[in-house]
Each structure stands twice: as structure tokens, then as C-alpha cells.
Amino acid sequence: MSAAIEFRDVRRVFGAIVAVDRVSFTIEPGEFFSMLGPSGSGKTTCLRLIAGFEQPDAGEVCLDGLDVSATAPYDRNVNTVFQDYALFPHMSVLDNVTYALRVRRVPAAECRRRGEEMLALVKLADTGARRPAQLSGGQKQRVALARALVNRPKVLLLDEPLGALDLKLREEMQLELRTLQRRLGITFVYVTHDQGEALSMSDHVAVFNSGRLEQLDSPQALYTRPRTAFVARFVGGANVIDGRYAVRAEHITVAIAGAPVPAGAVCIEGTILDTQYHGAVRRWQVRTADDQLITATRPESDTAPAAREPGARVALIWARGHQIPLMAD
Amino acid sequence: MTAFVSTFFYRRRSLAVYLLLVPPLLWFGIVYLGSLFALLAQSFYAIDEFTATIVRRVTLATYAQLFTQRANLDIVLRTTQMAIAVTLAAAVIAFPIANFMARHARGRVKAFFYVAVMLPMWTSYLVKVYAWRLILAKEGILSWCLAALGLDGVLEGVLRTPGIGGPSLSSSYLGMFIVFVYMWLPFMILPIAAALERVPASLLAASADLGATPAQTFWRVTLPLALPGVAAGSIFTFSLTLGDYIIPSVVGAPGYFIGMMVYQQQGMAGNIPLAAAFSVVPIVLIGIYLALARRAGAFDAL
């Protein structure tokens, strides 16, 4: 069985900016695949290359083993949920959902049946007659989802679909999207800049940085074995020590300077810049003698009150086993 | 004192808004609507045929004269046909230009197009009309160009067509139509371009993504969303054609148009009631047109 999507050495240039720089990766059928990165990292351009809104300047984009680099969006069996939803304001919700069927001249009765089925799937069964302007943000999101799924695409592309929703709704929708993806078995390609979202939903995550693919791995591997300083910092905000290895904030113990260091542990001394209380943990920001900024998060009960005062000298201690070696950038 | 005034208006912001609205409302209400109704009221008077004085008694005699006399009815029909033809042609020509300006042109090209569309409006209207008379004249540049291309036979064939033809382009309804379309084209391009500018690019991307060909996207998304602009533009072209009296008197066949009739009846013949009745016709036609456009859903996307 061929890969659902394959990028082979793909390059896309806008003027002087290299948006996608010789990127290669494979997405397997039926997986939940996330593309993670800061804005301008090339993740959205990759999504647009899959949808067909952009053509690669070099390399190949393959769907189902076929090179579609020159295929128009309307000839690809791929649908997109847009960041701004892009619902047609002059059509009813049902007409929006059945758009893909109507342009293929599916009979009206079948359009209606499948449209209503889709609206039920996204729990909006009785809103078909309304206009998009009469819906809330979360409802628009669901309509956009139903509209993109109605033609049963092989691949669903989602471009930061939850970005405009508030936190509670976003978490609900994350769960629903994941459930929906498992149920339908469709390949989801999900673009986000939220590392928590990418880790919690995906089978695989591709981390992008300034047009390059930094690392493609399972969420666990990405978190526990980041390969570059960028990935270590971007995914879970690890500390990068001397540019050579990463240490997670939750693996660092804070003690009063001069405390005994256990065997097999590493110790760096520094001055507390500030600490913040987060409930379950407290977060320290410590500046070391060679001017590195290190973050530690520990349960508050683990530390002496004296090691919480800004300006206090503290020792940061971690086990050697928690050091993750990094490739040079 | 100024502090007191500022505080007074800050506390009563709506009062300040209404105060600012008073001068334009007075202008609109008294000077514009007032004189319009004064004119319309005249259409319910009639003229005494023998003394040529206006009889100030409400009557429908003037309207009867307008709609029963063959010559007057012909003028209304001729003007309406021309206005419809000009509006359709302007919409068809303007749409691709507006689409290019709003969706494809960037930076300097876009600025150039906007200036180029508006530039003719900086020139005197009369100069342009007379220039067109020369362009369309029998020995004018257009017939010379067509002759040089060996197409003079085509022109003669077109000019022999009854209804639109005539001895030359400058004395035919076709020539008048060309000048009307040229004159009002900017009024059609600009509202359509403004409407298209407001259509998010993601809607067109979504349409293509859902399997619509470019033609389907045009008919199902672009055109419906641009319809308010087309409606606004066509109100300009339609009403400007209905009311114009200079173009029909400088270019085109000798048949009268509504604007010429209003000018002649109230200026030379002194028959203000008939002039007023003639000027009611465009108002009614525009009203009918707006009702039809609304029915057809032209304003649904607003």
C-alpha cells in the first residue's frame, strides 16, 4: 500500500524567501499527522502544497503514490478546513455542507440526505437552514468540518482550525477531532503552532523551522529525544545547556547553593531571577554564572522557602541520565 | 469654558452626532428632496393648450398625454431599451477588468488600473462627447482604421442593420450606445471592484478545494458575492443613461430621449408638467429595477 502523502525534496520559494527548503517526508494512510512550528516555518505552505494551492518549485508532492505537483486543487481527493472557516456567506449551512456534492452534480435528494448526515455527525443536526453569520465560532468550525468531509476525502487537511476558539472549546474540539479521525479512518494532516495540541492528538509530528523539517517522530520520541536545540526548546520548552544537550525543566532540582551533590548528578549554580507559583508546581528562572537562563519546575514542597527568593544563590541539580544529547544546529 | 463644553458633549455623545447631522440633513431634506417633490407635484398639473399657462389643479391629464401619445411612449421605450443595453454591456465589459483589479493586480499595476479607470472622469464631459463624434464620424479615425484592416464592408453591413444603423456610426444608435458605454464604464467598474475586494481569497480557495472548476467557482461564489457591486454599478449606468440629454443630442440617430424631452419641454416649450412627468419615468423605472434586483437576491450577501 502506497503512502497517503509523500514529499520528495520539495522546495517552494516566494521571491527571496525560501518557504519550504528541500523537505521530504511520508504520511501513512489513516494516521493523524501534525505539522508543528512557529509562524513562517513553512508548515502552512506544506499544507497548501498538498491541497494544490501552491506548486513546488522543485521536488514532487505525491498523493497515493502519484505525483500531483501539477494537479489543480479541484482534481485532488483532498479537502481542507480553513483557518478562517471560509464558509460561503450567501449560502445556508446545508448548502455549504453539500457544496462539494452539488458541483459534482449529485442528485438533490442525495445531496440533502448526505448533508444532513454530515451535520448530524458534527452535532449540528437542526441548523441546516441557518446562514453561517447566525452561528457561533465553534459551530462554524463544525460546519467547515462537515463541508470538508462530505465528499469522503482520502485526506483531510486542517489549517490551525482551533486557533480562533477559546480554551475550553478548543479542548473539547481536540477530543472530538481525534475521535472523528479514528472513526472515519481518514488521514488527517493538522497544522498548528501549539505543541501541546500536536503532542496530545497526533500519531506523528513533523517539526518545522524556517522552511526546514527539523524532526519527524512520534509525540513521545519528540518529547523524550529531541534531536536539535530548536526542537528541544519548541516542544515542551526544555533547557539547552551549552548548546550541547537538553534538560527538561521538571528534571531539575533547586537547592540552596552549596548543597551536597549526589553521585552521578550535575550541578550548576546561579541566581534566581524570578519564580512563579503554578499550583501543582513552582517555576524558577535562574541565571547561571556564564549567563545561561535555565528554567526549573518542581512541586513547591520539594524546596526550602529560602530557595524561592529572587536574588538568592541556588544550585540546580539533575541526574546525568536526564541529559539529552543534541545535534549541532 | 471649553472644558465645560467638552464635558457637556462627552456626556451626551449622541447629541453631538445629531448636531453634526443637522446641516447635511437640512441640505438633503429641503434642497434636494424638497425641490424633487416640487417638480414631481408639477406633473399632476396640466398646461392649458391655448394660453400655454399651467393650470394649478390636480389632474392625470399630463400622464395620459405621456402614455397615450405614440411619440411620447416611443421616447420612453427607446430610452429604456438603450439604458438596459448600456447596463448589460457595461457589466459584461467591467467585470473582467474589476476582477483583475481586485484579485490579481498588485502594487503599481493596481494603482495604475485605478488611476486609468478614473482618469477619463477628470476630463470635461463635453470634450469627450465631441471627441467621440469625431472618432465615429463617416471619415473618422474608426472607419479609417476599419478600412485599413479591410473591415469596412463589415461596418457598412452593421450600419445597414435597421434599428441600430444609420448613415454613419456618429449618427446611429450603435454609435450612441458605444459612447454611453464608454462614459459610464468607470461607474460600473469601481463598485464591482470594491465588492470583489471584500471577497476573502479563502472562499475561492475553499470552492476549488471542494471540487469546483474555475467556471463553477465564478457562477456559484464570485458572481453572487459581487452582485451587490453589480447592482450598485447598474443603478449608476441605468439612471445616468435614462437621464442624459447631451450624448443623444450630439451623437446618434435623430430620435428623442427622455433627458432631451425634459430639457426641451421645460426649457423651450415651457411645459413644466410634461417635463416633470417625463422625469418621473426614470425614478419609477429605477424603483422597479431595485425591487427586481432585491427579489433576485442581489443584496443577500450584504
Side-chain angles (χ1 to χ4, degrees):
Chain A
M1 196 167 175
S2 51
I5 295 164
E6 190 178 351
F7 271 49
R8 291 188 198 133
D9 247 355
V10 171
R11 199 176 145 86
R12 179 75 179 110
V13 182
F14 298 110
I17 300 152
V18 184
V20 176
D21 191 5
R22 307 203 55 172
V23 166
S24 300
F25 61 84
T26 304
I27 303 176
E28 295 304 326
E31 75 171 316
F32 197 118
F33 187 93
S34 289
M35 302 203 277
L36 174 67
S39 55
S41 60
K43 57 190 193 303
T44 298
T45 308
C46 281
L47 194 84
R48 293 174 61 84
L49 282 161
I50 302 172
F53 304 134
E54 306 279 350
Q55 274 77 48
D57 293 307
E60 287 171 11
V61 176
C62 299
L63 296 178
D64 257 340
L66 294 174
D67 181 5
V68 294
S69 304
T71 308
Y74 48 87
D75 285 329
R76 299 184 185 203
N77 195 3
V78 164
N79 287 128
T80 309
V81 176
F82 290 83
Q83 190 168 13
D84 63 353
Y85 316 130
L87 299 179
F88 303 123
H90 57 298
M91 294 178 198
S92 71
V93 166
L94 187 70
D95 283 349
N96 263 281
V97 173
T98 56
Y99 188 81
L101 304 175
R102 289 186 292 125
V103 297
R104 283 183 182 77
R105 313 204 190 290
V106 172
E110 193 190 338
C111 280
R112 190 177 178 82
R113 186 181 58 74
R114 281 169 66 181
E116 277 166 358
E117 203 177 284
M118 272 298 141
L119 281 174
L121 183 75
V122 296
K123 300 174 190 162
L124 282 176
D126 48 358
T127 59
R130 282 194 225 166
R131 287 291 172 112
Q134 296 167 292
L135 301 180
S136 70
Q139 288 173 320
K140 283 183 195 164
Q141 177 61 67
R142 288 159 192 270
V143 174
L145 193 62
R147 185 179 69 172
L149 286 171
V150 78
N151 202 38
R152 302 175 191 129
K154 288 206 167 143
V155 176
L156 184 73
L157 308 175
L158 302 105
D159 184 9
E160 309 220 14
L162 310 182
L165 305 181
D166 63 49
L167 186 64
K168 190 175 171 301
L169 203 56
R170 199 153 72 211
E171 284 170 352
E172 266 176 46
M173 281 302 290
Q174 284 174 12
L175 193 69
E176 262 182 60
L177 279 177
R178 189 68 180 123
T179 318
L180 198 65
Q181 191 263 338
R182 288 215 182 93
R183 206 164 111 198
L184 300 172
I186 294 174
T187 312
F188 274 36
V189 181
Y190 192 95
V191 162
T192 179
H193 61 260
D194 180 338
Q195 48 99 12
E197 207 167 85
L199 292 184
S200 63
M201 297 167 79
S202 321
D203 296 311
H204 283 103
V205 181
V207 183
F208 286 83
N209 180 28
S210 49
R212 282 172 298 115
L213 175 57
E214 289 267 334
Q215 188 171 349
L216 195 171
D217 249 319
S218 69
Q220 293 84 348
L222 212 56
Y223 192 80
T224 54
R225 293 190 301 279
R227 278 212 299 268
T228 64
F230 176 82
V231 176
R233 287 201 187 98
F234 197 76
V235 180
N239 297 289
V240 175
I241 313 284
D242 301 332
R244 288 184 295 120
Y245 57 88
V247 180
R248 297 243 159 248
E250 65 265 31
H251 293 143
I252 301 178
T253 314
V254 186
I256 303 286
V261 179
V266 178
C267 173
I268 295 186
E269 290 198 358
T271 314
I272 295 179
L273 281 183
D274 197 11
T275 76
Q276 300 108 37
Y277 181 60
H278 286 271
V281 293
R282 180 174 279 276
R283 174 192 286 266
W284 281 260
Q285 252 111 32
V286 177
R287 192 189 290 284
T288 63
D290 56 350
D291 222 28
Q292 296 192 71
L293 211 60
I294 296 180
T295 306
T297 50
R298 298 295 283 187
E300 195 171 61
S301 53
D302 282 12
T303 17
R308 290 176 210 158
E309 296 301 323
R313 293 281 301 162
V314 287
L316 302 172
I317 301 165
W318 61 85
R320 217 170 270 283
H322 280 136
Q323 295 186 168
I324 310 158
L326 300 174
M327 294 196 317
D329 268 338
Chain B
M1 184 59 202
T2 42
F4 171 77
V5 173
S6 316
T7 315
F8 181 81
F9 280 113
Y10 185 79
R11 296 258 173 104
R12 299 165 183 80
R13 257 169 289 190
S14 52
L15 179 67
V17 171
Y18 291 132
L19 276 179
L20 287 171
L21 262 178
V22 167
L25 277 181
L26 283 179
W27 176 266
F28 184 75
I30 296 174
V31 180
Y32 178 72
L33 284 181
S35 50
L36 185 67
F37 281 117
L39 175 75
L40 296 188
Q42 300 272 343
S43 67
F44 293 100
Y45 295 151
I47 196 158
D48 187 304
E49 295 284 341
F50 297 105
T51 59
T53 50
I54 298 165
V55 182
R56 296 184 182 280
R57 204 167 45 233
V58 174
T59 166
L60 289 174
T62 308
Y63 281 104
Q65 193 187 349
L66 176 63
F67 289 110
T68 53
Q69 286 182 10
R70 187 69 219 172
N72 289 341
L73 199 60
D74 277 348
I75 291 168
V76 170
L77 288 177
R78 185 181 301 132
T79 312
T80 310
Q81 283 166 358
M82 179 61 81
I84 292 171
V86 167
T87 299
L88 286 176
V92 169
I93 297 171
F95 207 100
I97 301 174
N99 192 51
F100 178 80
M101 286 165 63
R103 304 226 72 90
H104 300 282
R106 290 280 168 273
R108 303 179 75 137
V109 178
K110 187 170 192 153
F112 168 79
F113 263 82
Y114 271 93
V115 172
V117 166
M118 283 187 277
L119 201 61
M121 295 202 263
W122 302 353
T123 315
S124 159
Y125 169 84
L126 277 175
V127 170
K128 288 187 289 181
V129 178
Y130 279 101
W132 268 103
R133 187 153 89 161
L134 293 179
I135 292 170
L136 298 173
K138 198 162 187 68
E139 301 297 320
I141 188 166
L142 194 67
S143 62
W144 180 81
C145 281
L146 289 172
L149 291 167
L151 294 170
D152 41 353
V154 177
L155 179 62
E156 275 166 32
V158 171
L159 287 179
R160 271 197 299 273
T161 313
I164 63 167
S168 72
L169 269 178
S170 62
S171 50
S172 67
Y173 286 122
L174 180 63
M176 193 194 293
F177 166 81
I178 292 172
V179 178
F180 268 129
V181 171
Y182 165 81
M183 284 291 181
W184 313 142
L185 199 54
F187 297 99
M188 184 64 98
I189 293 176
L190 294 175
I192 297 180
L196 287 171
E197 297 261 12
R198 284 199 302 269
V199 178
S202 65
L203 291 187
L204 306 184
S207 175
D209 186 73
L210 293 163
T213 60
Q216 287 175 316
T217 299
F218 175 80
W219 290 112
R220 288 169 182 268
V221 180
T222 312
L223 188 62
L225 290 176
L227 266 188
V230 179
S234 60
I235 290 163
F236 285 128
T237 57
F238 194 64
S239 58
L240 286 169
T241 311
L242 285 180
D244 196 83
Y245 71 98
I246 293 177
I247 292 173
S249 40
V250 176
V251 184
Y256 266 66
F257 276 65
I258 290 178
M260 298 158 85
M261 207 54 194
V262 173
Y263 177 72
Q264 204 197 35
Q265 289 301 323
Q266 76 105 50
M268 292 187 270
N271 190 348
I272 291 181
L274 187 58
F278 263 111
S279 44
V280 169
V281 174
I283 298 172
V284 171
L285 287 176
I286 290 284
I288 293 171
Y289 176 74
L290 280 180
L292 289 177
R294 193 192 146 95
R295 247 226 180 128
F299 308 112
D300 286 6
L302 280 183

